[in-house]
Amino acid sequence: MNKLRVRVYNVLFGDAILISVPDAAPGESPALRHILIDVGNSLVTEGGEDSVFKKVVADVLTELAGQPLDLYIMTHEHMDHVQGLQYYQTKVLHGQPIKDKLQTRYAWLTRSAHPDYYTPGTPGYHPNAKERKRLEQVFLDEAREYFQAAPDEQTDWVRGLLAINNPRKTDDCVSILRDLAPAHTHYIYRGMDLNGTHPFREATFEIWAPEEDTATYYGQFHPVAFGAVAGIGPSGKPALARVEPPRGVDAGAFYNLLDWRRRGYGDNLLSIDSAANNTSIVFCLNWRGWSLLFPGDAEVRSWKEINKRSLVKSVHFLKISHHGSITGMPPEDVLGELLKADGTRRYVALSAYPDLEKQARGEQEWTYPEVPRQEVLGKLKSRADLQQTIQVADGGYIEYAFAGGTSNVTIGTSG
Amino acid sequence: MVKVRVKMMVDDGEFAPLRTAEQTEGFEVTSEEFFLDGPVTKQVAVLDLDEKTGLLEPGVRYVPPPPGKTLGRYDIADPPDITSRAFNQVSVFATVLKTIQMFQKSDVLGREVSWAFEAPQLLVVPRAGQMENAYYECYSHSLQFFYFPSHVDKRKIVYTSLARDIVAHETGHAILDGIAPHLWSAIAPQSRALHEAIADLAALLVSIDSPTLREAVLAKTRGSIKQSTHFSALAEQFGMERGTGALRNLYDEDLVLGSHVRSEEHDLCRVLAAALFSVLVRMHEDRKRQLASGPDDYPVSGKALILAAEQFRRMVMRALDYLPPGEISFADYGRAIIAPDQAAYPRQKKERQWLCDEFVRRHMVDGPEALAVTPPPPDGLKGIDLQALVDSDWAAYDFANSERGRQLLAIPPGVQFHIEPRLQVDREYRHKKKDGKPNDQKVAECLFKAWWYHEEVNRLGPSFPGRRTIACGTTMAWDQETGELRVLLTSNPERHPGEHAVQQADRDAMLGRLVDEGVLRPGPPRLGPDGRPLRFEASVETTERTMRIASIARTFHLARGVLP
């Protein structure tokens, strides 16, 4: 029991990571403690296949060997990070609470998942966040109405983002996660006192993000005039309003205006998506000289905030943020520090989908043409040893073992 | 020609901090060829789209003049119900047209404004949706005014299209975009700040043009604008209802350009607008002194303000036609004010000196010499067939490409350039005879603009190309009757190397900020669901070696940071 192990599972488009840490206070014999990060995937195409969770959760339970999970961490509220345990509860346990099967001592959820985060009059209330949430909800409702009225407009691009950012489904999943360790669920943010929030004695945590007030991460959000009217279509479905240009107004200019007023929903969807990604818990786990960084899906705004606060340091292991998208890549200076070229061997793990080679051969359709990006992979390969979950079977894993001393790393796979 | 009398808000009566005697006032639209329901005219069409249903609300009905009369009207109640959609349609239309007419006056631009988009009508959406903002958007040919529940009293809705200054501000953006379209893609913060400041000044001048407001403000201050007033406070009601106060206050004697105010356009615009407002204040004080017959100047303060505002308007708005194309610094704009004024009034230096003092005092230029404009040689175009330059694109290009032309227009050797369509304008210049009676003179001018791309270092890090291109150019104006060269101004970086170095550093800072905000990204543009570039990301054209920003933002917003 002298190796820290990191299993990065292939859950297709999503994240599930198990960290097993030999942990002991000075003079005590070490106990093997386990951290489970996320477990989810979400896509409208094959990358969202849920059955992988059976195998992944089974493997986690095997590793726990009847002992409780020491710490569960939900990085952020996105379906590709939160829906796996709900699936397991519903489909495998047939409704039996997952917390009975996956007994959990402590749970960390990102701060904005606090049930009172949007509740006026409570200590954790953030009015800007509430207003933003309201705007997002109104927008998403209107978007769904629009896509019912104009189904041809709902491309895979749209379906994928709507699926990942579905607030109602996400809430269902998060409520299960809040309940994993009822007496010991903590809502994490940078600067928070971590005493009493986890059982670790030897390993230490540095919380780099998120900020407590998520307003820091809001991007631009614009009103979009979809022009869909509820109840006027066949069977009471929404339909697009038919409007004619008034006399004296050029028809081309008129319809161009309507088009521009509708355009921008793509920007809004990405803005919603980025804001949630940036609420990711970004933490560095330090153990016997090793530093391992798990940034969830943090995007540029979060990296900038982290850098502004001089938290960045070189790490031995980095879980690549946001499945290898360009927006999840740390800025050059941050990446340069994280994966410093000082002769130390460094490791990066990418949980991404699809297989880029298959994609290049046109054998795989894909919702996000930008995730992962070849240029991102190129940058990572030039700095570190890059492993991708796509290399192993669905539900399988890549395993890193960090032994004493900071030069002894082995990498294996589940098959 | 038919005239139409329209009603417009003096101030939003329900929210106005300044209680005026009347909530609305009349205004005669004289510049339009036809009037239709909407209102719809040749230059402006109000489209009252409901953002929820997407339906077009009926436009207010046009009532033509009775037989034998020339004054038409729009069918709204008298007195108007200012909460009605019909009044909202008419009021926003009136305010837009009032702003347009102000720019078109014979002593300002002396021509019909043209839009930056290739269509005759500016489309105006008075209730575009719920947001604490308003914007001009070139791509949709539109001004869009949003509404929001008051932060002070949630039961009340604040319609930005009912605020005279907000409507004039956004119209100012649209007009300036037509005059100086390069400012749209400019990345120098001062260029973008100029857009904001001109929009602010348009709002100021349209407010001063209101007899009701003039009377109310001057009564409150006993004839002075040398303090914070309703005129200097931009979007005061808007800000109050957001619980913050005026969006900007043009009266600020202490505001100077410095490291804390450098690369954000709305902050920078405050410096330029405050400097120009100080000039207006001095003009007003001077006029009052000239008109007052005793120690109390209050009785003449209204007339003095009208005269001062007219002179101010001529200087600051007319100058826009003389801006060199491309990236513009505050110094470029200062020179564009001074050059035509100097050509028209060589001996009347007082106001130009005030302007210079303000620019220097606020650190907007290094010293007075930066604004010294050497008059171009009057015979600089001697021997050239000027009518051919006006009529023929080929002749214009051929001249500019000649050694003489390149030298005159400061076009670097070997650089490819573009020539804009020439503009012919009839400008009125106010002069007086020896007995003090008006002796206005009309000058028929031709404006000739050439522009090209200049390459500079791009300090955005290894993810971006190491060089970037910016537009720069030269504006030349000559008297069509005499052929004399009147104005020659260039933004060629080599002619003002010190200014260019500062602008380049400011561009670095601004682009860095945009990268931080995720508006500017390396690599190819991200595409939206329709396969087109995202609407609100910077549009960038890159090669391996260089990058060029096609547009930073697709809209000019009233306010920044108002949305979560």
Side-chain angles (χ1 to χ4, degrees), chain B residues 308-329:
Chain B
E310 278 180 2
Q311 187 181 11
F312 179 74
R313 186 177 64 205
R314 285 195 291 273
M315 288 181 80
V316 301
M317 300 304 185
R318 192 174 52 203
L320 302 173
D321 257 351
Y322 300 95
L323 284 172
E327 305 261 325
I328 294 298
S329 65

Side-chain angles (χ1 to χ4, degrees), chain B residues 182 185-186 323-328 332 409-412 415-420 449-456 469-475 489-496 500 507 548:
Chain B
H182 281 110
S185 52
L323 284 172
E327 305 261 325
I328 294 298
D332 284 317
L409 294 165
I411 304 172
V415 165
Q416 290 189 333
F417 60 86
H418 307 263
I419 302 291
E420 293 289 307
K449 297 184 183 227
W451 63 273
W452 58 94
Y453 287 117
H454 170 82
E455 209 174 284
E456 65 181 18
T469 55
I470 56 163
C472 58
T474 299
T475 294
L489 293 169
T490 184
S491 58
N492 182 336
E494 289 163 17
R495 298 297 172 96
H496 308 285
H500 174 66
R507 279 190 283 271
R548 185 173 74 77

